Amino acid sequence: MPSHRIGKDTIQRRRDGCTECRRKKVKCDLQKPICSRCARFPKECKYDINIINQNVVTRTGPSEANHHEQVNQSLNPIAHQPILNLSPFLSSKESQFFMHIFHTETAPRLFPAAPVLFLQRIIASSLETPHLLYALLASACSHHSRLVQDTGPKSRVSCLRFTNMSISSLRSALSETSATLTAETVTTAMALCTNDVCNGNMQTWRTHLGGVMRLLGAFLNSQGTLPITDPYIQCLVKWFTTMDVLAGLSGLGTSSVMNSDIGLLGRSFDLLSLHVDDICGYSLKLAPLLARLSHLVQRQGQNGPRMQQEVLGKARRLEIEILSLVDCSVSDGDSLELRSTHLAFVHSALLHLHRRVQELPKSHETVKEDITKIIAAVEDIPPFSSANILILWPMFSVGCETDDTKEREFIHNRMGDMQGLGMGNFTRARELLSRFWACETSLSWDNYFAELGLELVLF
């Protein structure tokens, strides 16, 4: 059934047929798991997850002011009752509502450029996996509260309840004697970890990140020694890699990406590819270089001229490797915005190297050039594009290193745009950035926050 236009809005109507019958524009008899028309080609018969209400209005207009108005009006639980109760675990109106929020608002924000099949599998798996479902509901609940600016106790209690239900269910699943590690188990741990960052729970984040690393490593080991070819599992590896690398770059210790015992990236991907990745927002070839960069920053503070010379020698070699990744292509016709996110990471890595390892002053021409190129990359991304969500670390880094008033205002405003989309990690980073500017300290931002005992993860 075709969509009907009302002004600039589209009313989404229910479409229950399998994807193949809909592609051929023929009537589907809805037989499951395989409809009659697809009996000869069962692999083509798939049903989309339908958790969208018939009365849901989706935005297609370009006005961002209208977008925020629509978000506040449309995120009313009463207005969205999903058509289908797709899972026995979605038994309450509250859980149904937050699953709708995860599908339509939260998932597209957390993974702005991810393959559709990745998000579809997360949702489909959660409908049969309680601990994963509750983790997604907790994420949607906290995201929704930020979107509508609901800081009341009811919202916090709901989020905490879903989180506790997820952790309890996950522990039960792992404690069963016959339990085997599954992709859903790893996904649950990563969803909880990501939600910790968005909510500013840094101590819990540390615990969960370590748990994710152990679970993912054990899961990959259980899959044998062959390269990982399942696209979903590859996305999980990249999801963890992004969190882990940025934890190291945020000052929370050395990344484990280079740990040969785990070998996550090397087992799953061709690291010779220069394509920009749709989960990380940069070429996967850059990931181990970022891990080496965080390691060099950690070693820079160690005493001894011999050690300093060794670090600087490695820094020069690393600089050449990072520069070689400037020209990366965007594969399969994806948005060219990903090229800008990649460039933002490349030049931020160079800025981090020049300032944190080589200790060049802000006034140095090389540092100024790094800043100019990062600003240019961010400017090439539209203000309210979700691609901005991928580059919190580059935006925060350049914001801390520039003294130019206009550049600071630009970064502050761009981070504010993402804060308005309910991204709690941008909220915390933006507040700390303003605090760093106000103190006018001569310390680098990582040392300044370390002295104050403040932690942030730029993910």
Side-chain angles (χ1 to χ4, degrees), residues 180-205:
T180 57
L181 281 175
T182 65
E184 288 70 31
T185 304
V186 178
T187 307
T188 298
M190 285 200 278
L192 291 169
C193 196
T194 301
N195 205 28
D196 289 333
V197 178
C198 292
N199 290 332
N201 302 326
M202 293 300 99
Q203 186 172 358
T204 310
W205 145 270

Side-chain angles (χ1 to χ4, degrees), residues 30-305:
L30 304 180
Q31 291 294 318
K32 296 182 180 180
I34 303 169
C35 77
S36 299
R37 287 185 178 274
C38 295
R40 292 179 58 192
F41 306 99
K43 291 184 179 180
E44 303 300 324
C45 189
K46 300 177 182 178
Y47 290 90
D48 288 340
I49 300 169
N50 189 351
I51 58 174
I52 303 178
N53 186 278
Q54 288 174 319
N55 297 321
V56 173
V57 177
T58 60
R59 56 187 181 276
T60 58
S63 170
E64 198 58 34
N66 290 339
H67 157 60
H68 287 300
E69 182 179 354
Q70 288 174 7
V71 166
N72 288 324
Q73 290 178 353
S74 66
L75 295 185
N76 183 340
I78 298 176
H80 292 278
Q81 297 306 327
I83 298 170
L84 302 176
N85 183 7
L86 297 172
S87 167
F89 308 112
L90 285 173
S91 56
S92 68
K93 290 183 179 180
E94 181 187 43
S95 62
Q96 293 170 13
F97 168 67
F98 284 124
M99 176 51 77
H100 169 76
I101 294 299
F102 182 84
H103 176 70
T104 59
E105 292 287 342
T106 307
R109 300 298 181 225
L110 293 176
F111 307 99
V116 173
L117 290 177
F118 172 61
L119 301 181
Q120 287 181 341
R121 180 164 167 182
I122 287 180
I123 295 174
S125 299
S126 73
L127 301 178
E128 301 175 353
T129 313
H131 52 74
L132 176 55
L133 176 66
Y134 297 139
L136 302 188
L137 295 180
S139 180
C141 183
S142 58
H143 183 218
H144 170 259
S145 67
R146 292 189 295 269
L147 276 173
V148 299
Q149 299 181 6
D150 176 12
T151 58
K154 183 178 179 181
S155 176
R156 292 195 297 271
V157 168
S158 294
C159 181
L160 184 60
R161 184 175 73 255
F162 285 131
T163 301
N164 289 338
M165 291 169 68
S166 175
I167 293 174
S168 176
S169 180
L170 181 61
R171 286 175 175 169
S172 297
L174 291 173
S175 64
E176 294 178 3
T177 54
S178 60
T180 57
L181 281 175
T182 65
E184 288 70 31
T185 304
V186 178
T187 307
T188 298
M190 285 200 278
L192 291 169
C193 196
T194 301
N195 205 28
D196 289 333
V197 178
C198 292
N199 290 332
N201 302 326
M202 293 300 99
Q203 186 172 358
T204 310
W205 145 270
R206 281 178 174 273
T207 302
H208 283 167
L209 184 63
V212 168
M213 183 179 69
R214 291 188 292 272
L215 285 174
L216 183 57
F219 173 73
L220 293 180
N221 287 335
S222 72
Q223 303 300 298
T225 57
L226 295 176
I228 302 299
T229 57
D230 184 335
Y232 180 77
I233 297 175
Q234 288 183 339
C235 284
L236 293 183
V237 172
K238 291 186 289 187
W239 183 1
F240 167 75
T241 297
T242 304
M243 290 193 295
D244 186 47
V245 166
L246 289 175
L249 293 172
S250 301
L252 298 184
T254 303
S255 168
S256 64
V257 167
M258 296 178 63
N259 188 328
S260 59
D261 293 331
I262 298 175
L264 303 182
L265 286 176
R267 281 192 52 188
S268 305
F269 304 100
D270 175 13
L271 292 185
L272 297 178
S273 171
L274 290 178
H275 284 151
V276 179
D277 182 67
D278 49 13
I279 296 289
C280 301
Y282 50 83
S283 168
L284 292 179
K285 195 173 177 63
L286 181 62
L289 304 187
L290 295 175
R292 283 164 55 189
L293 174 58
S294 65
H295 182 66
L296 287 179
V297 172
Q298 298 291 323
R299 294 185 63 189
Q300 177 58 284
Q302 299 177 5
N303 295 325

Side-chain angles (χ1 to χ4, degrees), residues 395-458:
M395 278 197 272
F396 185 88
S397 298
V398 74
C400 287
E401 299 298 351
T402 181
D403 292 327
D404 184 273
T405 303
K406 290 184 178 180
E407 290 178 341
R408 284 185 171 186
E409 182 180 5
F410 168 73
I411 291 297
H412 196 257
N413 290 340
R414 185 60 65 93
M415 291 174 68
D417 294 339
M418 296 305 99
Q419 180 180 338
L421 297 180
M423 303 309 297
N425 48 346
F426 275 83
T427 301
R428 178 173 172 80
R430 193 167 181 243
E431 291 172 351
L432 291 182
L433 184 60
S434 297
R435 184 169 179 173
F436 181 73
W437 288 339
C439 75
E440 298 183 347
T441 179
S442 59
L443 293 173
S444 63
W445 61 265
D446 48 348
N447 288 329
Y448 171 72
F449 291 124
E451 284 196 358
L452 295 179
L454 297 173
E455 291 183 348
L456 74 161
V457 178
L458 301 168

